[in-house]
Amino acid sequence: MTPNPLLGVGFHWLGGLASASFYVPYRGVKRWSWEIYWLTGGIVSWLIAPWLFAALQTEDLLGVLAAAPRRAILWPIVFGMLWGFGGLTYGLTMRYLGLSLGMAVVLGLCTVFGTLIPPLFQGDFAAKLLDTTSGLIVLLGLGVTLLGIVVVALAGARKDAALSVEAKRAAVAEFDFRKGIGVAIFSGIMSSCFAFGLAAGEPVRVLSAAAGTGPLWTGLPVLCLVMFGGLVTNGIWCTILIARNRSAGQWIGRASRISNAGSDIGTDVAPDVDGGRTPLVANFLLCAVAGLAWYFQFFFYTMGESQMGRFGFSSWTLHMASIIIFGTLWGFAFREWRDAAPRVRATVWGGVALLVLATVIIGYGNRLAA
C-alpha cells in the first residue's frame, strides 16, 4: 500500500483526541484511591487491549513474536519501562513548576527527543532531514510545533498569574525551579522512550508484514511489548502505594483511606469521610473506558505512522501536537479558561493554530517524500 501522509495526520489527530480524553472518565470514579483506579484502567490499556487488538488484526501473532530476534523483543519492553517512569514523574514536574511551565518543558523535550533521536540512532539523520527539501519541511514543522507549545504554555502562565495569592499557593505550593527543571528533563526524556521502543521493534513489524498482516496493523505486536513494559513500572509503583495505603479492599467496596496524590508520586493520604456506598460497577466501567482511550492513542499512532513513509519518526511530533490541541479544547470544555482575559484566550488559540499548522506542514513534507 502506498503511504498516504495526509491520512496519517488524520490518524494522529484521532490518537491525540484519545490521549487528551482518557482522563475524563476517571473524573467520575468515586471512593477509589488514585492507585486503585490507575491500575484498574492500566490493566486494560497496558495488557488486555494491546493483546486483544493485536490478536484480532495480526496474522499468527504468537508465531511473529516467536520468530523475532531477542533484541527486538527485549528492547521495546525496556523502553516501555523507561516510558513508565516518564509518566510517573510528570506529576512531580507539575508540582514543582506549575502546569504551564512544566508542560512546556516536558512536552517540548519529549517532542524533540522522541522525533530526532531515532534517526540519529539509526545514522540517517542527515540523509532524511538535511539533504532533502521534504526533510527540511519536516524540520520546519517540528520548529512550529515547539513554538506552538511555548505559546500555549505562555497563555497558561498568564492565566495563572491572574489567580489570587491563595489560588497561586494552592496551584504551585512547592515551586522549586532547580528541582523542577531536573525532574522535567528526566520526565521528558523518559516519556520519549515510547518512540524509541516502537523504533526498536521494527523487526517485529517486518515479520508481521511478511506473515500477511495488513499495513495499518503491523505495529500492533510492538505495542504489546512496549505497553507491557509500561505495566511493569506502573504496576510496581501502584502495588507499593496499595500496600502503604492499605487500599486493596476498595476493589470490593471496602472503605479505606483515599490517596490524593498518586500521580505525582506523593504520600498524602486523606480520610474517607463519604459515608456512601462505592459504585463498583460504574467505577470498573469508567476505568475500562479510560484504559481503552489511553490505549487507542497508540493504536491510532501506529496506524498513522504506517502512512508517513520514510519520515515515520515525525509521527511523534504529530502525536504531541495533537495531544496539546485536544487537551486545550477539553480545558475550554471544562471552563478552565473561563476567568482568563480575552487577550490570554486569544493567545492560547494562537498556540493551537500554530500546532494545527505544524501538523499540516509535517504532513506536506511527508507527502513530498512519499
Side-chain angles (χ1 to χ4, degrees):
M1 183 178 68
T2 302
N4 185 342
L6 296 183
L7 177 62
V9 169
F11 285 136
H12 284 305
W13 278 42
L14 289 174
L17 175 60
S19 177
S21 305
F22 91 95
Y23 210 84
V24 175
Y26 284 139
R27 296 166 65 99
V29 175
K30 305 296 183 184
R31 295 170 55 81
W32 272 8
S33 300
W34 175 87
E35 63 270 16
I36 297 298
Y37 68 72
W38 187 254
L39 185 57
T40 303
I43 289 173
V44 174
S45 59
W46 303 318
L47 186 64
I48 297 175
W51 287 95
L52 174 62
F53 284 97
L56 291 174
Q57 299 295 342
T58 304
E59 294 292 335
D60 191 18
L61 173 61
L62 297 181
V64 167
L65 293 175
R70 181 175 298 178
R71 67 181 184 279
I73 300 293
L74 176 62
W75 281 112
I77 295 176
V78 171
F79 282 124
M81 294 173 66
L82 296 176
W83 163 67
F85 282 113
L88 288 173
T89 53
Y90 182 79
L92 275 180
T93 304
M94 302 304 106
R95 171 187 287 185
Y96 294 134
L97 295 181
L99 178 61
S100 302
L101 180 57
M103 181 185 69
V105 176
V106 172
L107 294 185
L109 287 171
C110 189
T111 300
V112 172
F113 281 103
T115 302
L116 299 184
I117 293 298
L120 285 172
F121 180 78
Q122 295 165 1
D124 55 5
F125 179 85
K128 284 185 174 180
L129 288 171
L130 301 181
D131 297 340
T132 63
T133 301
S134 55
L136 292 174
I137 291 175
V138 170
L139 274 180
L140 174 63
L142 173 61
V144 175
T145 299
L146 294 177
L147 179 60
I149 291 174
V150 170
V151 171
V152 171
L154 286 175
R158 291 176 179 176
K159 176 173 69 73
D160 294 342
L163 295 174
S164 64
V165 175
E166 294 76 11
K168 287 180 181 178
R169 289 175 178 171
V172 196
E174 301 177 62
F175 185 85
D176 188 320
F177 183 80
R178 180 177 299 179
K179 186 184 295 185
I181 288 295
V183 175
I185 292 173
F186 177 83
S187 180
I189 294 174
M190 291 298 102
S191 295
S192 67
C193 284
F194 198 98
F196 306 162
L198 296 180
E202 183 61 26
V204 178
R205 299 184 64 150
V206 172
L207 288 170
S208 181
T213 302
L216 288 177
W217 319 115
T218 55
L220 296 184
V222 186
L223 278 186
C224 294
L225 305 174
V226 181
M227 300 294 267
F228 177 76
L231 173 63
V232 172
T233 303
N234 284 270
I236 290 174
W237 178 244
C238 286
T239 300
I240 292 172
L241 287 180
I242 289 170
R244 185 163 62 195
N245 297 333
R246 300 179 182 177
S247 52
Q250 293 174 19
W251 271 314
I252 57 175
R254 293 178 181 172
S256 64
R257 299 181 302 175
I258 304 297
S259 170
N260 291 326
S263 62
D264 57 6
I265 320 186
T267 57
D268 302 335
V269 177
D272 180 7
V273 296
D274 182 358
R277 297 181 59 184
T278 301
L280 289 178
V281 174
N283 282 359
F284 278 112
L285 287 176
L286 287 168
C287 288
V289 172
L292 279 175
W294 181 248
Y295 167 74
F296 275 136
Q297 68 168 310
F298 299 115
F299 177 83
F300 288 115
Y301 177 93
T302 57
M303 293 174 66
E305 188 181 31
S306 72
Q307 298 298 305
M308 303 311 289
R310 61 194 298 262
F311 291 143
F313 59 88
S314 65
S315 292
W316 193 249
T317 301
L318 294 171
H319 185 61
M320 293 292 105
S322 300
I323 290 174
I324 299 173
I325 290 170
F326 289 106
T328 302
L329 293 178
W330 272 118
F332 275 94
F334 286 119
R335 303 177 67 82
E336 294 177 359
W337 296 84
R338 175 183 54 188
D339 298 325
R343 181 179 298 178
V344 174
R345 290 197 295 269
T347 300
V348 74
W349 283 118
V352 170
L354 284 172
L355 293 171
V356 173
L357 175 63
T359 64
V360 175
I361 292 173
I362 294 172
Y364 177 68
N366 279 270
R367 185 174 184 179
L368 286 180

